[in-house]
Amino acid sequence: MPAKGKHRRPKNSPLTRRFVAAGTGGAALALPMIGATTAAAAPTSAAHSVTAGITAAAPAAAPAAAKKAAAPRTHTVVAGESLSKIARDHGVSGGWKKLYEDNRKAVGADPSLIRPGLKLTIGAKAPAQRSSAPERADRSAERKAAPVAAKAASYPDNLDGWIREALDIMAQHGIPGTYEGIHRNIMRESSGNPLAINNWDINAINGTPSKGLLQVIAPTFEAYHVPGTANDAYDPVANIVAACNYAADRYGSIDNVNGPY
């Protein structure tokens, strides 16, 4: 007898098992299960990329930190310096003119005369005096400014003028001394006579008489003679400057001399 047939439930193919029905009503849409993991992971990956992009761009978008303005500082003048040199060394915007304006009260009326030991403020704000024309750095003008100012000064040919001229030269060479100290010693040594000579003391006996306003002997004059002054002990300005140079070396200043020296 014929074999009794068995009804076999058809096996689902692997492809069929990989689909599920989704939909409403009678319609159904087959959605592949494969790629579900990939689809779920995609937004995370994309979000990570966007976040990374924003993080990377953040430093570029951050504003630069504002620089703090440098605080004013003090500079003490030493021998051989000028406002032009100090302004260049400290990078003063506006050059020596700005430095002079900021320190006019300390420097005085003549910017070419700054004495060693004078304290200048670098970076101070000058009184509000704006020029209509913009300032321009002119190095050649700066270099010429001090010599021109010095040449413009004139001195009377008398004791007052000799002392004042000597003081200006001393300031340029860093030699200390005051008008009062010089005048006091001149009046004691020569009574203001630039041709005075001592022919009777021990120096005269030794062949080196004291000469001029401050009674300087030849060896001392030659040793302490300041370049730029006359090489003549009877020249009043040269005599004063050499004597003050010697007094500074031995006593600290002509101001400290109150008797024979």
Side-chain angles (χ1 to χ4, degrees), residues 2-28:
K4 193 174 183 178
K6 293 183 180 179
H7 179 73
R8 293 182 179 179
R9 180 177 295 175
K11 294 181 180 180
N12 291 328
S13 69
L15 181 61
T16 304
R17 286 199 304 269
R18 297 176 73 89
F19 286 80
V20 294
T24 58

Side-chain angles (χ1 to χ4, degrees), residues 224 244-253 256-257 260-261:
Y224 290 93
C244 289
N245 195 18
Y246 162 73
D249 186 38
R250 184 164 181 182
Y251 302 100
S253 170
N256 299 329
V257 178
Y261 65 112

Side-chain angles (χ1 to χ4, degrees), residues 76-169:
T76 303
V77 176
V78 298
E81 286 189 319
S82 65
L83 291 182
S84 295
K85 180 180 183 302
I86 297 170
R88 285 195 298 272
D89 290 348
H90 289 275
V92 176
S93 177
W96 71 268
K97 294 180 181 178
K98 177 65 167 62
L99 184 60
Y100 175 54
E101 286 302 318
D102 291 346
N103 295 274
R104 181 186 291 270
K105 186 174 180 180
V107 175
D110 191 343
S112 68
L113 300 179
I114 56 172
R115 292 179 169 80
L118 178 67
K119 294 187 182 300
L120 302 176
T121 301
I122 310 293
K125 291 184 177 180
Q129 287 184 347
R130 290 187 172 271
S131 171
S132 56
E135 286 190 39
R136 296 182 180 180
D138 187 343
R139 292 187 178 180
S140 62
E142 290 179 12
R143 287 194 296 268
K144 293 177 182 178
V148 168
K151 289 179 180 177
S154 59
Y155 309 93
D157 189 21
N158 56 29
L159 182 58
D160 174 69
W162 301 331
I163 294 175
R164 284 167 45 200
E165 184 175 357
L167 281 169
D168 288 345
I169 295 172

Side-chain angles (χ1 to χ4, degrees), residues 21-239:
T24 58
L29 176 65
L31 299 178
M33 292 300 290
I34 58 171
T37 304
T38 305
T44 303
S45 228
H48 175 73
S49 299
V50 173
T51 305
I54 294 174
T55 305
K67 294 182 179 180
K68 293 183 179 180
R73 54 195 184 280
T74 301
H75 175 85
T76 303
V77 176
V78 298
E81 286 189 319
S82 65
L83 291 182
S84 295
K85 180 180 183 302
I86 297 170
R88 285 195 298 272
D89 290 348
H90 289 275
V92 176
S93 177
W96 71 268
K97 294 180 181 178
K98 177 65 167 62
L99 184 60
Y100 175 54
E101 286 302 318
D102 291 346
N103 295 274
R104 181 186 291 270
K105 186 174 180 180
V107 175
D110 191 343
S112 68
L113 300 179
I114 56 172
R115 292 179 169 80
L118 178 67
K119 294 187 182 300
L120 302 176
T121 301
I122 310 293
K125 291 184 177 180
Q129 287 184 347
R130 290 187 172 271
S131 171
S132 56
E135 286 190 39
R136 296 182 180 180
D138 187 343
R139 292 187 178 180
S140 62
E142 290 179 12
R143 287 194 296 268
K144 293 177 182 178
V148 168
K151 289 179 180 177
S154 59
Y155 309 93
D157 189 21
N158 56 29
L159 182 58
D160 174 69
W162 301 331
I163 294 175
R164 284 167 45 200
E165 184 175 357
L167 281 169
D168 288 345
I169 295 172
M170 288 162 58
Q172 294 172 19
H173 291 272
I175 302 171
T178 64
Y179 187 103
E180 188 279 330
I182 295 172
H183 186 273
R184 168 168 46 80
N185 281 284
I186 286 176
M187 297 311 293
R188 185 191 66 252
E189 294 292 335
S190 67
S191 298
N193 178 10
L195 300 179
I197 183 171
N198 186 321
N199 288 314
W200 55 265
D201 66 2
I202 187 63
N203 290 318
I205 294 172
N206 291 333
T208 55
S210 303
K211 301 176 182 178
L213 289 174
L214 284 168
Q215 292 292 280
V216 183
I217 61 175
T220 300
F221 179 81
E222 291 169 5
Y224 290 93
H225 172 257
V226 173
T229 62
N231 194 18
D232 178 4
Y234 285 114
D235 180 86
V237 174
N239 186 283

